[in-house]
Amino acid sequence: MTTQQYDAIVIGGGHNGLTAAAYLAKAGRKTLVLERRHVLGGAAVSEELYPGFTFSVCSYVVSLFRPHIIRELNLAKHGMEIIPLEASYLPLPDGDSLCRWADPHETRREIARFSKRDAEVYPEFGMAMNKLAQFARHIIDNKAPDPTSTRISDLMQLLKLSKAFNQLDPDLMQLNMQLLTMSAVEFLDLWFESPVLKSPMSVSGIIGTFLGVRSPGTAYVLLHHYMGEIDGAFRSWGFSKGGTGQISNAIANAARSFGAEIRTEAPVDRILIERGRAVGVVLPNGDEIRAKTVISGLDPHRTFLGLVGEKNLDPEFTTQIKRFKMRGSSGKVNLAVDRLPQFRDGRTGTHHLRGDVAIAPSIDYLETAYDQAKYGDFSSRPYLNVVIPSLVDPSVAPPGKHIISCFVQYAPYDIKEGASYWPNRREAFGDAVVDTLAEYCPGLKESILYRQVLTPWDLEQEFGLTEGNIFHGELSPEQLLFNRPASGWARYQTPIRNLWMCGSGTHPGGGIMAAPGELAAKTMLTSGAV
Amino acid sequence: MPIPTPFHPRTSELCRSYRYKDWSGYIAVCAYATYADREYFAFRYAAGLIDVTPLFKYDVTGPDAASFLARVMARDIRKLKAQQVSYACWCDEDGKLLDDGTVWRIDDNHYRVTAADHHLAWFHRNTAGLNVTITDVTDSIAALSLQGPLSREILNHATGSVVDGLRFFRLTNTNIANRDVIITRTGYTGDLGYEIWTASEDALAVYDAIYEAGTPLGMQPAGLDAMDITRIEAGFILNGVDYFSANHCLIESRKSTPLEADLAWTVQLNREPFIGQAALKAEKARGQDRAFVGLVMEWDEFEAHFAEHGLPPEICSAAWRDPIPIYDTLGNHVGQATSGAWSPMLKKNLALATVKAEFATPGTQLRMETTVEYVRKTVPVTVTEKPFYNPERKRK
């Protein structure tokens, strides 16, 4: 039995846990990070699964990472490098395709082949979403507003928010309301006429949710796609050089440079609670590590129902946490291939593949994919978001060979045979994904050297994402802001004194953003908790 | 990647400098030679031939075409007679400029609009209740601008003296090299000049005929760099440089009204409703906040700044469009110059600027920032009537 005294123990070495640790260490707090796996990063992790191929195993692109965190933690110096995606490519079943580029005129011409009007509305839509995203930045760069509080600082925050909201055009206020209530398809119908354009745009509304593109509330998630920025340029997505794990490694390097201690292969059995206060953690061998504060980067289910235990919680709070929707809906298939996939549309060069490739040929296709999931099956023809990071970052694959990363939706956690049956269906799921992509890329199957299939069950077992939810809880309007993860507990504090949360299950949510980790640490520091 | 215009096979052969830029998604020649002065002087002393295909072009047809255009434009297009061309601007509901361009009446129910930006979707949104068809003909119609004192003679050679009687801002249907063309007496140089519009597939034949007619008279193929100097001399405002289309502005202060852009002369307020009318009436009643003015730099102080370093005054051979702050004589910031050039015709440094309305009276003394030997200085400028350069032949 060892007893060590830390100011803070961070459970989970995902990118948010590492970010929280870096901020706490930077403020001079003695900080320890405990990661269960042998590698850091959580779901932002790079692993060489096949010799010479480094995979971004789970998350695969970055957009929302807060730029001030890069500055404050000096992450560029610690190895964070982001390469922008060049295009958004949609191959169609008839052999045609639509590609959206950084060049607005080129994009206009591409869309005009399907609708001249849509081609012109597209930049208008982008402008309106950008204006709203500017407003939304107030929200993601601050702790969640608390409409029930009468504290001066909370009232000031609400005042600031309402001022920013009032500065929006009335048109934009209306737009905001539509976003919060409508479905992605309904919302896009207000703007566009061409299904070829609407279909790949609508999928931004369903990523990581157990909802369909025609389900109300999915419009809001569209906005998330316009909030990202790289180097101050709005609405850009990027690859992390060396895979998304390099972001986590850069944050870990920053944390270490400030004096944080980081241990891998260090699982935590439970949080040590004495007289209603968190005082440390207990390891599987019974060892205790004591600290003034404990911060969990795990999702709310694992934190409270797992590490804290219902017996230490108020039943009403437990109910709220149980009701917080996890219900993962996606999987991941990672391929190592010996050549670049050839799509059927006859485009030459590789520019159109140096971004993301969407398999989303029509709204009905997407809705049918959802229908299967509703009744406990994975989609036989799923929506795929495919990237080939080795095209822009040759460091992740041997020369001439490539990595194909497929984000797959829908793959419901609760399949009809029960979630634990997933291992028996894993390869069938992988086949469905490869078959789907091969319909657009003849020769794909013959080029595969290695295949990794991650079902929601695997995401839970291997990466600790409850029910395989990639965002630590759905990003639907009722689970955001002051309700994330529970009403009254949206500011990183928990009902257990000295226990804090810093994962994607807290405000402002999932994605490689680092904001929950940062805001949690800053809230702890300003409140004098640590 | 930008795409070539139908004239590209000819222009690319002539463009020895390889200096191109992206103009609305087309490859456009900046200058055919390393320096643009030969092309500039051709515009002013002979003629310059420039490919203006990238302009957006819309055909508006149907019984309600005139009513539609009167609804979207700030100018009352219903007054336009057949074969007449008009310069117009159009605004959003708040009276903020979206674009400016020409509107032509080809015949009774057939109009054409040229524009710097695309507007098909916006036009369509404003057709409610009207029997009108709007077609984007940007890609199907190629356009050349022939500008300069000898442009009439050249076109007469090419057409068989058809343009002799063509008055300023009028159009005629004719043919060149047996291909149908429309010739408008319009341009962006403030000089005598014409624009020739033809089907894309006829572009090369028309180009060759004009090239053949023009070469003996000293005509030069010209690029955007030379045209930019002439349009500044003419005092013409440029969308995306001197003002920004309201569609592209993230913030209100970036937007402009026609009054602020000195386009009030194209606005007819008292008539049936048009888009932005109420806001523009209110602005007129209240008085505009800003004004678009011409500035002429005072030479002596400019020269003295260089003399301090033992240098002769530096004259830039190309036009510039990086905004520069403008101050009043007390040093208060009152606006910005958005483009400018040395005028070889007038031997003056010219600028186009947006300043607070109270500083817009011709003769007002202001100061413009300039950098001399890495040090920021200011030099005196005088608010001056536009156009700076206005040869009689332009309208004659």
Side-chain angles (χ1 to χ4, degrees):
Chain A
M1 154 122 200
T2 52
T3 306
Q4 287 172 289
Q5 182 67 40
Y6 288 92
D7 290 319
I9 294 174
V10 177
I11 306 173
H15 82 282
N16 276 312
L18 292 166
T19 302
Y23 275 100
L24 293 173
K26 191 181 175 193
R29 305 302 188 270
K30 196 173 178 218
T31 305
L32 171 69
V33 179
L34 298 173
E35 167 55 41
R36 178 178 53 86
R37 297 190 72 218
H38 61 286
V39 56
L40 289 171
V45 66
S46 303
E47 294 184 64
E48 187 175 331
L49 300 173
Y50 185 73
F53 293 82
T54 304
F55 290 88
S56 293
V57 180
C58 300
S59 62
Y60 53 99
V61 283
V62 56
S63 166
L64 293 163
F65 201 98
R66 308 313 302 141
H68 63 273
I69 298 177
I70 299 177
R71 289 193 296 274
E72 289 169 3
L73 299 181
N74 211 352
L75 296 180
K77 181 189 144 199
H78 289 293
M80 178 168 168
E81 294 177 55
I82 306 295
I83 313 164
L85 269 65
E86 289 178 26
S88 248
Y89 174 65
L90 174 86
L92 293 165
D94 62 2
D96 201 349
S97 61
L98 169 71
C99 195
R100 291 175 281 155
W101 306 90
D103 176 345
H105 296 298
E106 200 166 9
T107 303
R108 179 164 49 77
R109 279 209 186 87
E110 287 264 3
I111 300 173
R113 291 195 295 118
F114 302 96
S115 160
K116 281 199 165 195
R117 262 162 76 181
D118 284 0
E120 295 191 1
V121 175
Y122 187 73
E124 286 179 33
F125 179 81
M127 179 61 79
M129 296 300 264
N130 269 342
K131 286 180 180 172
L132 280 180
Q134 296 271 14
F135 167 71
R137 264 168 55 161
H138 285 275
I139 296 173
I140 61 173
D141 283 342
N142 288 290
K143 58 188 177 182
D146 183 354
T148 62
S149 164
T150 52
R151 288 175 51 171
I152 297 289
S153 62
D154 289 332
L155 291 172
M156 289 299 284
Q157 190 189 351
L158 283 173
L159 194 70
K160 231 174 110 183
L161 255 182
S162 72
K163 226 177 123 186
F165 187 73
N166 281 323
Q167 278 168 356
L168 289 176
D169 274 357
D171 296 358
L172 287 172
M173 290 188 197
Q174 194 202 354
L175 203 64
N176 199 46
M177 200 48 78
Q178 291 168 343
L179 275 174
L180 284 170
T181 54
M182 294 175 97
S183 77
V185 169
E186 227 183 336
F187 183 72
L188 291 168
D189 278 342
L190 298 175
W191 295 79
F192 301 107
E193 59 186 16
S194 168
V196 173
L197 183 62
K198 279 187 281 193
S199 163
M201 289 178 82
S202 70
V203 289
S204 314
I206 53 157
I207 295 205
T209 72
F210 198 82
L211 294 166
V213 288
R214 293 198 178 108
S215 313
T218 49
Y220 175 77
V221 190
L222 288 177
L223 185 59
H224 264 248
H225 256 222
Y226 283 84
M227 282 200 294
E229 53 189 309
I230 293 175
D231 300 341
F234 239 63
R235 215 203 134 232
S236 1
W237 288 79
F239 292 111
S240 167
K241 187 170 183 297
T244 53
Q246 271 310 108
I247 297 173
S248 306
N249 292 337
I251 304 168
N253 289 342
R256 287 193 197 98
S257 78
F258 299 128
E261 183 185 339
I262 300 173
R263 296 187 202 163
T264 52
E265 296 179 273
V268 169
D269 186 58
R270 60 191 167 87
I271 293 166
L272 190 58
I273 295 168
E274 290 174 357
R275 292 185 304 279
R277 292 162 185 246
V279 295
V281 297
V282 184
L283 307 183
N285 65 4
D287 284 0
E288 290 176 3
I289 310 176
R290 295 202 164 240
K292 285 184 202 153
T293 56
V294 176
I295 305 115
S296 171
L298 312 188
D299 69 48
H301 278 231
R302 281 172 64 88
T303 300
F304 295 108
L305 309 178
L307 296 181
V308 172
E310 283 189 48
K311 69 177 189 323
N312 290 309
L313 292 167
D314 176 76
E316 200 180 315
F317 179 77
T318 307
T319 307
Q320 275 206 60
I321 293 298
K322 283 183 174 168
R323 282 183 183 157
F324 187 68
K325 290 191 287 264
M326 307 303 287
R327 52 176 199 181
S329 59
S330 58
K332 185 88 192 289
V333 172
N334 295 312
L335 304 173
V337 292
D338 65 7
R339 70 199 92 137
L340 201 60
Q342 291 295 323
F343 286 84
R344 293 190 291 127
D345 65 351
R347 280 180 202 259
T348 54
T350 60
H351 291 295
H352 58 295
L353 300 177
R354 294 164 70 96
D356 72 310
V357 181
I359 302 299
S362 72
I363 302 283
D364 280 348
Y365 175 99
L366 297 168
E367 198 66 10
T368 308
Y370 178 48
D371 285 342
Q372 284 178 290
K374 276 191 288 196
Y375 303 111
D377 226 330
F378 59 78
S379 315
S380 51
R381 283 295 174 269
Y383 157 62
L384 302 182
N385 190 254
V386 179
V387 294
I388 311 171
S390 44
L391 260 180
V392 287
D393 174 11
S395 73
V396 295
K401 300 187 167 52
H402 289 283
I403 281 176
I404 304 180
S405 148
C406 310
F407 170 86
V408 192
Q409 195 159 328
Y410 298 81
Y413 176 78
D414 280 313
I415 46 173
K416 53 179 176 263
E417 299 90 341
S420 60
Y421 193 75
W422 256 117
N424 303 306
R425 304 214 55 197
R426 186 185 293 127
E427 293 313 314
F429 172 63
D431 290 344
V433 172
V434 171
D435 288 347
T436 302
L437 191 56
E439 285 178 5
Y440 300 84
C441 296
L444 173 74
K445 288 182 189 173
E446 296 72 36
S447 71
I448 298 173
L449 302 169
Y450 167 82
R451 173 170 107 175
Q452 180 198 33
V453 181
L454 292 170
T455 70
W457 173 260
D458 301 316
L459 292 174
E460 180 179 72
Q461 299 298 309
E462 187 62 33
F463 298 94
L465 298 166
T466 300
E467 296 186 22
N469 189 292
I470 60 171
F471 292 141
H472 285 197
E474 241 174 44
L475 288 183
S476 42
E478 76 279 11
Q479 298 205 148
L480 293 176
L481 297 166
F482 36 83
N483 287 327
R484 192 168 186 86
S487 95
W489 302 103
R491 288 182 164 185
Y492 315 103
Q493 227 165 346
T494 71
I496 308 289
R497 208 155 163 205
N498 299 336
L499 173 64
W500 295 72
M501 299 172 275
C502 71
S504 292
T506 60
H507 175 79
I512 310 179
M513 178 157 32
E518 174 227 6
L519 291 170
K522 285 182 176 171
T523 307
M524 290 174 72
L525 289 165
T526 52
S527 68
V530 62
Chain B
M1 294 283 275
I3 59 169
T5 76
F7 300 112
H8 194 73
R10 298 290 181 273
T11 53
S12 58
E13 199 136 287
L14 296 162
C15 183
R16 310 296 293 273
S17 67
Y18 288 87
R19 289 179 52 213
Y20 296 96
K21 70 184 210 183
D22 178 340
W23 177 9
S24 299
Y26 284 99
I27 302 165
V29 175
C30 297
Y32 284 83
T34 312
Y35 299 103
D37 42 353
R38 186 198 305 154
E39 296 156 40
Y40 167 82
F41 285 111
F43 278 138
R44 291 302 185 218
Y45 292 115
L49 182 66
I50 179 165
D51 176 2
V52 293
T53 305
L55 283 169
F56 289 89
K57 298 157 245 148
Y58 300 99
D59 273 6
V60 181
T61 55
D64 294 330
S67 306
F68 163 74
L69 289 167
R71 178 193 279 181
V72 293
M73 303 277 161
R75 184 167 213 145
D76 192 354
I77 299 300
R78 288 169 307 179
K79 293 179 178 162
L80 204 63
K81 296 186 184 78
Q83 307 271 292
Q84 202 176 5
V85 179
S86 179
Y87 173 71
C89 66
W90 48 104
C91 304
D92 66 9
E93 287 291 345
D94 303 323
K96 304 294 183 174
L97 273 175
L98 291 174
D99 206 352
D100 62 294
T102 60
V103 183
W104 342 336
R105 186 169 187 180
I106 296 173
D107 59 41
D108 281 355
N109 289 329
H110 182 187
Y111 292 79
R112 184 170 291 162
V113 178
T114 68
D117 203 353
H118 51 76
H119 299 286
L120 185 71
W122 185 77
F123 284 158
H124 272 149
R125 281 203 284 277
N126 291 298
T127 56
L130 296 176
N131 186 352
V132 61
T133 305
I134 303 156
T135 317
D136 183 345
V137 293
T138 305
D139 292 336
S140 54
I141 290 181
L144 289 169
S145 186
L146 181 67
Q147 303 282 310
L150 301 186
S151 55
R152 178 181 293 147
E153 205 176 328
I154 294 166
L155 272 189
N156 274 336
H157 279 297
T159 59
S161 302
V162 166
V163 293
D164 251 348
L166 187 62
R167 286 154 60 207
F168 190 52
F169 269 72
R170 293 292 198 282
L171 68 86
T172 184
N173 297 70
T174 180
N175 58 74
I176 293 178
N178 291 319
R179 318 292 163 124
D180 288 336
V181 299
I182 291 179
I183 296 178
T184 55
R185 189 165 157 194
T186 49
Y188 203 50
T189 60
D191 213 307
L192 174 68
Y194 302 86
E195 288 169 311
I196 301 103
W197 312 79
T198 187
S200 294
E201 54 272 24
D202 295 334
L204 293 181
V206 170
Y207 191 91
D208 292 341
I210 295 174
Y211 199 78
E212 198 181 313
T215 304
L217 292 171
M219 185 192 83
Q220 295 287 329
L224 293 170
D225 287 1
M227 188 164 71
D228 209 19
I229 300 174
T230 62
R231 72 100 190 163
I232 290 164
E233 290 177 327
F236 292 152
I237 197 165
L238 179 54
N239 184 354
V241 173
D242 300 308
Y243 77 92
F244 297 97
S245 173
N247 277 337
H248 301 306
C249 297
L250 262 181
I251 52 171
E252 281 302 308
S253 58
R254 269 268 169 136
K255 302 176 181 175
S256 301
T257 65
L259 254 72
E260 291 172 336
D262 199 18
L263 296 176
W265 61 280
T266 71
V267 180
Q268 281 143 0
L269 277 180
N270 296 312
R271 58 183 179 94
E272 276 98 286
F274 65 92
I275 296 168
Q277 185 184 38
L280 294 176
K281 277 187 171 170
E283 185 194 23
K284 196 181 175 194
R286 170 180 85 234
Q288 68 198 75
D289 295 332
R290 295 176 298 192
F292 183 63
V293 298
L295 300 175
V296 172
M297 188 195 283
E298 202 245 294
W299 184 258
D300 292 345
E301 204 171 312
F302 179 66
E303 190 171 18
H305 283 315
F306 285 91
E308 252 178 64
H309 297 278
L311 290 169
E314 232 169 65
I315 290 169
C316 187
S317 68
W320 51 265
R321 46 175 72 174
D322 306 311
I324 294 179
I326 301 289
Y327 304 95
D328 67 9
T329 48
L330 302 171
N332 302 304
H333 182 251
V334 298
Q336 60 281 339
T338 44
S339 47
W342 167 256
S343 165
M345 297 304 292
L346 304 171
K347 308 298 176 202
K348 283 174 181 167
N349 263 328
L350 309 177
L352 297 171
T354 295
V355 296
K356 289 182 181 166
E358 61 264 40
F359 298 96
T361 317
T364 304
Q365 296 294 311
L366 295 170
R367 298 190 71 87
M368 179 164 83
E369 199 172 275
T370 189
T371 302
V372 178
E373 201 55 10
Y374 316 112
V375 181
R376 287 189 182 174
K377 309 270 187 186
T378 63
V379 285
V381 288
T382 307
V383 176
T384 306
E385 298 265 14
K386 304 188 294 314
F388 301 108
Y389 177 75
N390 194 17
E392 245 181 57
R393 60 180 180 255
K394 177 176 88 177
R395 292 171 165 272
K396 222 171 151 183

